[in-house]
Amino acid sequence: MQKYAVFVPHFHWDREWYEPFQVFRHRLVSALDTVLETAEADPDFRFTVDGQMAAIEDYLEMRPENRARVAALVRGGQLAIGPWLILLDEFLCSGETIVRNLQLGWAAAAELGGAMPIGYLPDMFGHIAQMPQILARAGIEHAALWRGVPGSADGHAFRWRAPDGSEVRTEFLFDGYDNGLDVLLVPDRIGHALGEYAETTAQRWGGDPVLAMAGTDHNAPDPQLAAWLRCASSEERAITIATLDEYIRRHVRDEVATVVAGELRSHVRGNILPGVLSVRLGLKQRMAVAERTIDHAERMNALWSRRDDSPFLSLAWHKVIESSAHDSVVGSGTDETCDQVETRLAEAAQIARAVRDAALAEPAALVPSDGHLVANPLPFPRTALVEVDVVAPPESTALVATAADGSEHPVQLISKAPTVLSDEHMDASQLERVLRRIHRRELFGRLIDHYELTPGSLVFHLAEVPASGPFDLLNLRREVAAAAAAHPGEWRVLTLEEARATALVPVHVPACGLTSFRVEPSDRPAAPAMTLAPATATDRVLSNGLVEVTVAADGTLDVTGADGTVLYGVGRLVDGGDRGDSYNYAPPARDMFVSSPAEITVEHLESGPLRSRLRVTRLYEWPAALSSDRDLRSGRTVPTPVETLVEVRVGEPFVRVSTSFLNQSADHRLRFHVPLPERVATSASAGQFAVTERGLTAEGGWGEYPIPTFPASSFVWAGAANVLLDHSSEYEIVDDGSELAITLLRAIGSISVNIHPLRDEPAASEIPVPGAQDLGMRIENRLAVVPSATGWQGTHAVALAEEFRNHVLVARGTAPAGGNLPPDATGVRVDGRDVFVSSIRRVTDADRGAGTEIRLAAMSDTDSTVHVTGAFTEATTVDLLGRPLAETPVEDGLELALGPWEIRTVVVR
């Protein structure tokens, strides 16, 4: 029997959820006012602030005068803060976002006396495989969590092991983060209730004291809590009040025999609410865009700008991290809450876009205005296709793209723009109004090259880059006024743009580097600079020599890979009902699946040689909603055309597939199916610094049906299929291992439902959220398919996913037209198999000055060697909080030996 118990007063604070942030903050300020007053009145009182600094920051923004009080309690050990900025959802953001979350939280806590060195993860909906390594490489030796722990963990602690072998001792909150509350229900019977609880859970504790987490959502502990516990303490069972850090470091054994490896997604001891992976698609897409834009901005700012825009980038990261909260990006909040999250993510992307564009403007100033600058955000060289607006050539004249070294490349014209922008008739007295449209030289987004003024006619000729000399607006006004007075009556005003076209250009860009080109007319077509087969198209077939795709009679795709592997029926769409909520999918009792289209049309859009495209439109009759009892799909159907853009590009071993439709149905789930040539027993997906392998089932045992839907961030692999992803998604291996299904949309109407067929207890209140139905929204998804019999490693899926997700960046030159193109420039180059570069950014050390931080992850279960080259002469290995660990020799670049799945961070100067 446990001789003593430790109570940890705390609260769990969802920053936004069934109420928006500002409503919850009003409660937060009152709650923390109570905590501060209670702690100052009783030196024995302790409080753990939920492991996240956001609560403290939000409080001090309203109570700045209390900063010194908070710091005094932290330094005195009564208040435990940090280490996170916010309690995040680990699967719906990037690994880099998780690292930055920890960095910002740790730094903010340091200013108030220091962070709690515990990886506190109390309410996340499962945990990523690499979290132990992330914590360990930040110097954190302990974690504490609840959801997702498998049934093999039979005590109150275990050693949690990451794929690289890193371990942290993990306190298992097996009864949740509020297990002490029931003991406190009747203050004068605390001792008796504690005794009963200790007896029923004795096997869990072994010889360690009972941990009673005394707190819950959005409530401060009763100010009398410490007095109650002093009264309840006895010789039979002593009671201590502590922070979570004090309990773990002072009261329990450090040696724990049980080891749990990898991700934690078991349902056996608590709900993990897997449906959050697929609800509110727009939030997942905006998160991916924001993270990617910040990453690109950091790389461009570090490598190609003289200006340090770190304050802007820190603000952008802060907004992304706030949005990664486990009740934010998951989409389990009210409509107004989710709208605010979406806006915050948009702001983060806007901030980063400004930094990115400003950084590119510096090298673009060296490129003539009739040329374009191209920047590669990836640390390996690549050939990419870019679309640029050019002057359309005469019908008999070809266009070529000329690089700085004089080499010429073929250009594919993909569209032409109209040349007549306006054709108006008006009285002469109205001509002055037309001139008000002109801003210095700009008219309709172009520049006035010249104009023609004749009696009764004014013609403007616009160009992107004027060929004529200076333009005098005041002189034009005088001339028009005189002509109008001399020729009253009707006038014609014609605005003409030079013939424009959109050109597709192949560009080879160095690693994290810059190149430039100009498109110009030529008497002869350019000889292909690449020896690769061209992209071609017929009515139903696209090919480029590496991958071939044929549109089948039912509108699905038959895709043949470079090794001859064929996937038949790719893109079969299956739509079924969903009577669940934002947390869990649930099929209606009498579901009706729609997988066959009523009509199919195929349009031939582009024939190559650089890119070929087809558009497949399939018309489906989807039920409009569920019936009133929610157990049957409505008999009323809505005709819904789904457009699928199918594309192959020269040199790419995958087919790009984009789906788009206007959603007019409620309460349904739509999935993109990839039939597999052979049944599989496992699958794997890439996410936060790891590729995680999974079976066909999930462990159950609690009150939640263990539906085997799993997260994927950049790609998912199953047998002969590799699918590259644009954003975090949900997938499942269905039909006994014969098909891969990726969720494109899950439309539901309630935060939680009280009676759920796949979950015993409500996950929250039954609050309507009509916005989560996505009615009237255009639903778009982008992915790519790589057939291969060699597995994800043989396919080089890590690198292919990076190429697919990260476009090159293009900027118009701003130097005088006609000048020489600047030479190509390389930034940082990283050579190594299955190595993922998570971040390249500018950092500044007080002692050593400015440097460039590079974070790499070995995405492999074998040792690997990585070679890093760039304009640097020294390198320092640092931990995930940026603290120096060791100097690393630099000889002809930096050579790093990485262990399996190792995350390594270096700063080069």
Side-chain angles (χ1 to χ4, degrees), residues 574-580 585-594 623 625-627 630-634 666-671:
V574 179
D575 185 75
D578 191 342
R579 61 152 298 169
Y585 159 77
R590 300 181 298 282
D591 204 355
M592 179 178 70
F593 293 97
V594 180
L626 292 180
S627 60
R630 300 188 61 77
D631 275 331
L632 181 69
R633 299 191 78 180
S634 168
D667 309 311
H668 69 127
R669 181 180 69 174
L670 178 67
R671 286 175 146 187

Side-chain angles (χ1 to χ4, degrees), residues 438-443 446-449 466 468-471:
I438 302 171
H439 302 277
R440 290 172 290 280
R441 192 169 190 164
E442 179 271 328
L443 176 62
R446 297 294 186 188
L447 298 178
I448 297 175
D449 182 78
S468 61
F471 171 75

Side-chain angles (χ1 to χ4, degrees), residues 94-101 103 317 689 838-839 853 855:
S94 69
E96 189 61 31
T97 296
I98 296 174
V99 171
R100 301 303 179 90
N101 188 340
Q103 290 176 343
W317 272 120
F689 302 124
S838 176
S839 171
E853 181 187 82
R855 187 157 16 261

Side-chain angles (χ1 to χ4, degrees), residues 3-175:
K3 295 299 183 183
Y4 61 105
V6 178
F7 278 74
V8 174
H10 76 105
F11 56 41
H12 175 55
W13 207 273
D14 300 292
R15 194 168 184 263
E16 53 200 358
W17 181 18
Y18 58 84
E19 294 283 8
F21 160 57
Q22 297 296 356
V23 174
F24 272 148
R25 172 152 70 175
H26 191 269
R27 299 182 193 176
L28 171 70
V29 171
S30 296
L32 280 177
D33 280 345
T34 298
V35 168
L36 265 58
E37 292 164 5
T38 303
E40 289 168 340
D42 186 345
D44 293 335
F45 183 77
R46 301 287 190 270
F47 191 80
T48 299
V49 191
D50 205 29
Q52 54 179 333
M53 283 302 298
I56 296 296
E57 288 187 350
D58 294 341
Y59 174 76
L60 291 178
E61 191 173 14
M62 295 294 103
R63 295 277 196 268
E65 68 277 10
N66 287 347
R67 187 176 184 86
R69 295 174 64 195
V70 170
L73 291 171
V74 172
R75 294 190 178 98
Q78 287 184 265
L79 206 60
I81 60 174
W84 302 102
L85 177 59
I86 207 158
L87 294 182
L88 72 163
D89 184 281
E90 299 169 33
F91 293 99
L92 292 174
C93 63
S94 69
E96 189 61 31
T97 296
I98 296 174
V99 171
R100 301 303 179 90
N101 188 340
L102 190 56
Q103 290 176 343
L104 291 181
W106 193 271
E111 294 180 1
L112 292 169
M116 173 178 72
I118 308 293
Y120 188 49
L121 306 161
D123 198 28
M124 286 70 166
F125 308 148
H127 304 278
I128 62 169
Q130 286 282 40
M131 184 57 76
Q133 184 180 180
I134 292 172
L135 295 174
R137 288 185 180 268
I140 296 174
E141 300 174 341
H142 299 268
L145 50 82
W146 167 33
R147 303 183 194 265
V149 178
S152 59
D154 54 1
H156 73 99
F158 57 88
R159 305 294 304 178
W160 187 13
R161 182 177 296 161
D164 76 312
S166 299
E167 291 185 355
V168 291
R169 182 198 176 280
T170 302
E171 187 66 28
F172 177 24
L173 307 175
F174 60 89
D175 271 342

Side-chain angles (χ1 to χ4, degrees), residues 555-557 559 569-575 618 642 644-645 655-659 669-675 723 725 730-732 734 739-745 781-785:
T556 63
L557 311 175
V559 186
V570 171
R572 184 170 70 93
L573 298 180
V574 179
D575 185 75
R618 290 173 281 178
V642 179
T644 302
L645 183 65
V655 55
R656 295 171 181 259
V657 181
S658 302
T659 62
R669 181 180 69 174
L670 178 67
R671 286 175 146 187
F672 182 100
H673 282 238
V674 181
V723 180
L725 302 170
E730 167 195 271
Y731 80 93
E732 183 179 359
V734 298
E739 290 198 32
L740 165 65
I742 298 171
T743 304
L744 301 183
L745 173 70
N781 283 274
R782 194 171 69 93
L783 48 82
V785 180

Side-chain angles (χ1 to χ4, degrees), residues 404-550:
D405 62 4
S407 61
E408 294 183 346
H409 304 269
V411 169
Q412 178 180 331
L413 285 182
I414 55 177
S415 68
K416 289 188 177 181
T419 56
V420 179
L421 300 185
S422 72
D423 188 353
E424 304 167 275
H425 294 267
M426 63 188 67
D427 188 80
S429 62
Q430 300 298 308
L431 289 177
E432 173 59 28
R433 297 178 62 185
V434 172
L435 301 185
R436 294 175 195 163
R437 302 171 181 167
I438 302 171
H439 302 277
R440 290 172 290 280
R441 192 169 190 164
E442 179 271 328
L443 176 62
F444 296 160
R446 297 294 186 188
L447 298 178
I448 297 175
D449 182 78
H450 64 283
Y451 59 89
E452 300 170 17
L453 182 61
T454 58
S457 174
L458 174 59
V459 182
F460 292 106
H461 294 269
L462 309 184
E464 188 175 27
V465 181
S468 61
F471 171 75
D472 190 336
L473 178 59
L474 295 179
N475 185 61
L476 171 64
R477 291 184 183 280
R478 286 192 296 270
E479 290 182 3
V480 169
H487 303 281
E490 184 177 84
W491 276 64
R492 183 187 188 191
V493 179
L494 187 63
T495 305
L496 303 176
E497 182 180 14
E498 60 187 343
R500 309 292 302 180
T502 301
L504 196 62
V505 181
V507 183
H508 183 76
V509 203
C512 279
L514 307 174
T515 192
S516 57
F517 69 91
R518 59 162 55 94
V519 176
E520 48 200 357
S522 174
D523 295 334
R524 52 182 175 76
M530 300 177 290
T531 58
L532 299 172
T536 62
T538 62
D539 288 346
R540 284 181 174 259
V541 180
L542 305 179
S543 179
N544 66 359
L546 296 174
V547 64
E548 181 176 282
V549 55
T550 302

Side-chain angles (χ1 to χ4, degrees), residues 744-801:
L744 301 183
L745 173 70
R746 201 166 72 81
I748 52 88
S750 182
I751 287 182
S752 176
V753 293
N754 293 335
I755 305 298
H756 194 293
L758 301 185
R759 191 186 64 233
D760 286 352
E761 59 180 317
S765 299
E766 195 169 86
I767 299 173
V769 284
Q773 297 281 16
D774 281 331
L775 289 170
M777 302 295 292
R778 180 151 291 278
I779 305 301
E780 298 179 343
N781 283 274
R782 194 171 69 93
L783 48 82
V785 180
V786 194
S788 175
T790 60
W792 64 267
Q793 287 180 299
T795 308
H796 304 294
V798 171
L800 291 182

